[in-house]
Amino acid sequence: MSEPAPTLALSFKTEVRSYEEVQRMRYVTSIERLAKEEGIVETARESVLEVLETRFG
């Protein structure tokens, strides 16, 4: 048995929209990107300091 063409087309469009919604990436502003990079650097600094304090007291 096969589905009627309109029902199949509607099902396909729904699947495509669902896929596109999942794959859509949110726009990240330059300010947000810089803040994230600074957060990564700060976390790395804290980790290094923690290791040094643990190792050397």
Side-chain angles (χ1 to χ4, degrees), residues 20-46:
E20 288 175 344
E21 188 65 32
V22 169
Q23 298 300 319
R24 183 179 304 172
M25 292 184 61
R26 181 175 84 79
Y27 176 72
V28 178
T29 65
S30 58
I31 301 281
E32 291 172 318
R33 190 176 24 232
L34 287 173
K36 183 176 181 179
E37 289 173 4
E38 287 178 12
I40 291 170
V41 169
E42 185 62 31
T43 301
R45 285 183 187 141
E46 290 171 359

Side-chain angles (χ1 to χ4, degrees), residues 3-21:
E3 292 186 68
T7 304
L8 184 60
L10 179 61
S11 176
F12 177 74
K13 286 180 183 178
T14 303
E15 287 295 320
V16 169
R17 283 189 192 126
S18 176
Y19 176 79
E20 288 175 344
E21 188 65 32

